[in-house]
Amino acid sequence: DLSSAAPDDGWSGGNVSPGVRLDVGLSQQASLHVASRYTRIDGDLDLQALIGLSPDGSTALRYHYREISTWDEYQTDGFATTTARTGGIEHKLVGGVEAGFSTTDSQIGVGPAASLDIDDPDYGPPPSAPVLSPTRFNVTRVGFYATDQMRLGKSVTVVPGLRWSHIDVDDKVAAATKPGATESASTESIVSPNIGIVVLPRPWFSLYSSYTQGFEPPAPGQYLENGLAPELSEARSFEAGAKAGLMGQRISVT
């Protein structure tokens, strides 16, 4: 019978996401694939949420969250595939480009909300509306990538890949209020290599390993004490394992 929200709380929103995809066979060995999508999300949130319990363990401390936001994104990805052979090595080549542009326009506010006795909740009148602060930013990104699935004989497959990524975050609010938050501080480019190897000692048994590098940009609106945006977060992932299909592939073990 207890809810950290209130009976008058609520949210409304909607989204639309049409897309189109084109697949073209260029030859028996080559093909072209292009996909584009537009997404729009609108949201209106007016909620009271839980912060935690007071030291007595029976009083729920809450806050009031208000958000009105609109998010638009345009995204496209195009790549070509082909097969080739160099000596005894079979190649499956993929090369492409990915691009996207998104805009965010939000009004967000946080304020106090009345606490609740969790054993006998009395929600009372809704809290006063908090002051809303604007958050507006545009994000532009582009990436070029290529992979080559190389089959060495019947038992070894090697898949090297390389990606160049560029992202630019243009914070409209910061540009007007934080002179130190320059556009260049929110622009990043990085090269991310990756490689995977699969070995098949038996048709039903495989050994595999992979190594991947990637990155994540800082969230728009976050700044250091000097007014500049934080640097991006880099990630490195390594995985290795074995897989087997037993009893005529009726049992899979990893």
Side-chain angles (χ1 to χ4, degrees):
D1 297 328
L2 174 69
S3 172
S4 60
D8 295 330
D9 287 359
W11 64 271
S12 62
N15 66 79
V16 60
S17 185
V20 61
R21 178 175 176 132
L22 175 67
D23 300 285
V24 180
L26 304 178
S27 67
Q28 291 184 345
Q29 293 82 26
S31 61
L32 176 66
H33 309 270
V34 181
S36 296
R37 183 173 296 278
Y38 165 73
T39 303
R40 180 182 179 90
I41 300 176
D42 298 288
D44 188 335
L45 296 83
D46 192 352
L47 307 168
Q48 298 176 66
L50 179 68
I51 298 176
L53 290 178
S54 63
D56 62 16
S58 63
T59 303
L61 307 177
R62 302 185 301 161
Y63 68 97
H64 183 202
Y65 182 82
R66 183 81 170 95
E67 177 182 344
I68 304 172
S69 62
T70 301
W71 181 69
D72 295 273
E73 182 183 53
Y74 306 85
Q75 184 176 2
T76 185
D77 184 21
F79 64 93
T81 68
T82 188
T83 59
R85 177 180 286 272
T86 56
I89 303 176
E90 297 180 4
H91 299 268
K92 290 184 178 180
L93 300 165
V94 177
V97 57
E98 178 187 6
F101 175 76
S102 64
T103 64
T104 300
D105 188 347
S106 300
Q107 299 281 334
I108 299 176
V110 178
S115 58
L116 281 179
D117 183 344
I118 64 175
D119 299 313
D120 185 18
D122 180 10
Y123 293 95
S128 57
V131 176
L132 301 181
S133 300
T135 300
R136 301 185 183 95
F137 55 86
N138 299 340
V139 178
T140 304
R141 66 183 189 277
V142 63
F144 295 90
Y145 58 90
T147 62
D148 181 8
Q149 180 177 306
M150 300 184 294
R151 182 155 186 170
L152 313 178
K154 295 182 179 180
S155 60
V156 179
T157 300
V158 181
V159 188
L162 192 66
R163 178 185 174 94
W164 177 84
S165 302
H166 175 83
I167 187 166
D168 180 85
V169 179
D170 183 9
D171 193 320
K172 298 298 186 180
V173 175
T177 60
K178 294 180 180 292
T182 60
E183 183 179 358
S184 60
S186 299
T187 299
E188 301 287 353
S189 299
I190 193 170
V191 176
S192 305
N194 60 82
I195 188 170
I197 301 175
V198 179
V199 180
L200 295 171
R202 296 290 187 271
W204 51 269
F205 179 66
S206 64
L207 302 171
Y208 68 92
S209 65
S210 66
Y211 174 79
T212 304
Q213 289 186 8
F215 79 99
E216 181 177 358
Q222 293 184 349
Y223 298 96
L224 304 176
E225 292 181 355
N226 59 9
L228 301 179
E231 295 184 359
L232 56 82
S233 300
E234 297 187 48
R236 294 173 176 83
S237 173
F238 176 77
E239 181 182 5
K243 295 185 178 182
L246 308 176
M247 299 179 63
Q249 304 296 329
R250 287 181 293 174
I251 296 179
S252 179
V253 180
T254 302

